[in-house]
Amino acid sequence: QVQLTESGGGSAQAGGSLRLSCISSDYTYNVAWFRQVPGKQREGVAGIHTVNGNTYYSNSVKGRFTISRDSAKNAIDLQMNDLRPEDTAVYYCAARRRTRGTTMHPLDAYEYNYWGRGTQVTVTS
């Protein structure tokens, strides 16, 4: 069982920045950040393959968010710049079970087996 611990988040004004970090208790190939607002489906915003370094972004955050890996901490970070009120959500870190191999759909929630507890991000205008 992989445990994911998120940190960061909080509040920011529109145009500002926040950084989220997800520390994993074990090694997996695919890690991603999702977000969810009440009444809506969980949305994949950024994913990374921890071996080849490929990154994936939703159109809603492309050019503003950057996902990266800190190998020393076994952490996956999400740098969020130029924040908008519509970025307000609970953000979740997710990891795919290693025995499932690499996913072809890195922003699809069904591809992931382990989830963090979530961290709130609030952006005010």
Side-chain angles (χ1 to χ4, degrees):
Q1 182 81 7
V2 174
Q3 296 192 348
L4 303 171
T5 303
E6 300 125 333
S7 62
S11 297
Q13 290 193 323
S17 299
L18 287 171
R19 188 175 185 90
L20 306 182
S21 187
C22 171
I23 295 179
S24 174
S25 64
D26 199 359
Y27 171 79
T28 62
Y29 294 128
N30 287 100
V31 181
W33 283 95
F34 289 77
R35 66 186 182 188
Q36 190 169 24
V37 297
K40 290 192 174 182
Q41 281 191 325
R42 197 165 289 190
E43 174 194 14
V45 297
I48 188 168
H49 192 282
T50 60
V51 176
N52 61 31
N54 287 348
T55 56
Y56 311 89
Y57 298 95
S58 68
N59 288 333
S60 60
V61 306
K62 196 173 294 183
R64 301 187 297 122
F65 290 12
T66 302
I67 190 170
S68 62
R69 185 183 181 199
D70 184 334
S71 300
K73 297 189 299 183
N74 202 26
I76 301 296
D77 294 338
L78 184 67
Q79 177 66 40
M80 306 184 293
N81 297 330
D82 190 23
L83 285 164
R84 304 168 181 170
E86 53 263 39
D87 293 321
T88 296
V90 177
Y91 282 71
Y92 299 90
C93 178
R96 180 176 169 87
R97 187 183 301 127
R98 192 167 62 220
T99 55
R100 294 181 68 187
T102 296
T103 177
M104 298 298 290
H105 306 282
L107 297 183
D108 186 338
Y110 292 105
E111 298 292 311
Y112 293 86
N113 305 96
Y114 309 110
W115 295 85
R117 298 180 66 177
T119 184
Q120 177 71 44
V121 170
T122 303
V123 184
T124 56
S125 57

